[in-house]
Amino acid sequence: MRHNKKFNHLSRTKAHRDALLANMTTSLIMHKRIFTTLAKAKALRVYAEPLINRAKDDSMANRRLVFSYLQNKEAIKELFGVVAEKIAERNGGYTRILKTGNRLGDNAKTCFIELVDFNEAMLKDKKETKTRTRRSRGAKKAAPEAPAAEAPAAEAAAE
């Protein structure tokens, strides 16, 4: 029976696919963004997000479990150190996939996958929208009067 076997095999054997996803996860953790095909990025998201979720609880058991998948000490240090601090309050969705078009040689759909909390450009845009406030019509009428009231005070201070 083929129950629960519906996932992208990426035209690789199980050992090759596991090695590919482990290496891509290590690169994603170390570089915070990698450029790849859309199919690999979607497979990587399924593979990497549970491992990133383990980093929230820094215990020896979680470190050993993640190390059994990644086999890279530097990536484990980065994951349980820098990455875990940024994702502490996030409940999931640690990665973002942004499509970039098609590759020239074989017309494969390409994209980049990145860790959500490490893209400073998108975080700046998000913070700017929060600081804006909505003003009522009464504030527009009062606004021209305020500089006029300040102008005589400035002239008096100059004399």
Side-chain angles (χ1 to χ4, degrees):
M1 289 186 283
R2 294 191 65 249
H3 295 202
N4 201 21
K5 298 200 184 324
K6 188 176 181 181
F7 61 92
N8 195 343
H9 295 278
L10 301 172
S11 299
R12 289 164 169 82
T13 61
K14 175 155 177 44
H16 188 186
R17 188 170 53 250
D18 287 343
L20 171 82
L21 293 173
N23 288 334
M24 288 178 70
T25 303
T26 300
S27 295
L28 179 65
I29 291 168
M30 298 304 287
H31 301 291
K32 312 302 186 266
R33 175 188 290 180
I34 57 173
F35 187 79
T36 184
T37 63
L38 186 61
K40 287 180 186 174
K42 288 181 178 180
L44 177 63
R45 181 173 50 190
V46 172
Y47 186 88
E49 291 216 3
L51 297 179
I52 296 170
N53 197 27
R54 289 272 179 185
K56 286 183 176 182
D57 180 25
D58 190 4
S59 66
M60 187 59 68
N62 283 344
R63 282 181 178 263
R64 286 179 177 168
L65 188 105
V66 173
F67 183 76
S68 71
Y69 284 93
L70 300 184
Q71 299 292 317
N72 189 327
K73 289 182 183 179
E74 288 78 24
I76 300 300
K77 288 177 189 173
E78 184 80 11
L79 177 63
F80 281 86
V82 177
V83 176
E85 292 174 6
K86 291 247 186 170
I87 62 157
E89 66 276 355
R90 188 176 286 275
N91 290 329
Y94 309 114
T95 58
R96 174 187 298 126
I97 296 175
L98 295 169
K99 297 175 186 174
T100 58
N102 294 346
R103 196 160 51 197
L104 285 176
D106 58 355
N107 207 32
K109 294 179 182 177
T110 58
C111 65
F112 60 84
I113 182 169
E114 66 182 1
L115 295 176
V116 172
D117 294 323
F118 287 90
N119 189 344
E120 287 79 16
M122 288 194 159
L123 291 175
K124 287 178 186 174
D125 293 341
K126 186 177 177 183
K127 289 179 183 176
E128 287 176 6
T129 57
K130 285 185 178 178
T131 58
R132 292 182 185 165
T133 58
R134 187 172 171 179
R135 296 183 180 177
S136 64
R137 290 183 178 248
K140 288 184 181 178
K141 292 179 183 176
E145 295 173 8
E150 291 176 6
E155 291 173 7
E159 293 175 358

